[in-house]
Amino acid sequence: MIDYPVFFDTEFTGWSDTGLISIGFVDESGKREFYAELTDTWEIGQCSDFVRVEVLSHLQGGEFSMSAEVCRTRLKAFIEAVDVPVQLVCDLPNYDWMLFRRLMGEEWPANLSRHAYTFDPGAGGLPKRAGEAAGAARSRYYNGPGRPIHHALHDVAAVRAAWEAGLDCGWWPGAP
């Protein structure tokens, strides 16, 4: 059993010399979102060719561009606005969780678990029917008309949709 799930995803410069470009969150209800593009945690020279084409082209700028310090303050408030214990859910813990922890440093939200729950329907681990439903739900986000990919808020919505599809098929996180 996990605490109240808040899903998140990151976009980053590449597999080595990893800098955080953007971060997106959506709560279990799908009604509360947080998205930020970091201005001081990466440099263009760190970016792989793939990131330059597929990630940077989807950045929105404007109100979403902010320093790590501003992001940390706003993100902490976003998580602490949930009045129950929160557990973050991500599909790539070696990068997403590591980058989140690096961003937050000592500014840890009071209601947030120190461990992320990994949910990647493409990696197996779900009962067959739930895994198929979750995979199909996530694929709709990546293959639908006009849907950009490699955008943290878009990608986290796909993970949340997959989670919901798994639940609809009787899967429950942490169940044996």
Side-chain angles (χ1 to χ4, degrees):
M1 186 64 141
I2 73 165
D3 294 327
Y4 183 81
V6 173
F7 305 89
F8 83 106
D9 188 62
T10 63
E11 296 298 340
F12 48 89
T13 56
W15 301 115
S16 61
D17 190 22
T18 306
L20 179 61
I21 296 172
S22 63
I23 192 163
F25 294 77
V26 64
D27 75 348
E28 183 179 41
S29 73
K31 295 177 182 170
R32 291 186 65 242
E33 297 178 341
F34 177 91
Y35 176 69
E37 296 170 0
L38 289 296
T39 58
D40 58 355
T41 55
W42 63 282
E43 295 177 11
I44 192 78
Q46 291 174 272
C47 296
S48 69
D49 291 341
F50 173 84
V51 169
R52 288 175 195 225
V53 173
E54 298 296 335
V55 174
L56 300 184
S57 64
H58 296 298
L59 295 179
Q60 295 173 247
E63 68 182 290
F64 301 110
S65 292
M66 62 191 76
S67 68
E69 182 180 349
V70 169
C71 180
R72 190 170 25 257
T73 300
R74 291 180 182 176
L75 185 50
K76 185 176 181 198
F78 172 81
I79 293 169
E80 288 180 340
V82 178
D83 61 359
V84 297
V86 169
Q87 187 159 19
L88 294 182
V89 178
C90 62
D91 64 355
L92 194 60
N94 291 347
Y95 287 89
D96 294 334
W97 184 239
M98 178 266 299
L99 289 165
F100 172 79
R101 287 189 338 240
R102 184 188 300 168
L103 172 67
M104 296 309 289
E106 297 300 317
E107 297 296 317
W108 205 259
N111 61 333
L112 182 61
S113 171
R114 290 281 179 171
H115 305 283
Y117 185 88
T118 301
F119 178 73
D120 182 359
L126 294 178
K128 183 175 178 21
R129 186 168 160 252
E132 289 171 352
R138 190 163 86 168
S139 289
R140 282 191 291 278
Y141 271 83
Y142 293 117
N143 299 319
R147 299 279 191 169
I149 60 171
H150 304 297
H151 181 282
L153 193 55
H154 174 266
D155 291 356
V156 76
V159 172
R160 183 188 164 277
W163 176 280
E164 291 296 318
L167 291 176
D168 288 348
C169 289
W171 167 80
W172 191 251

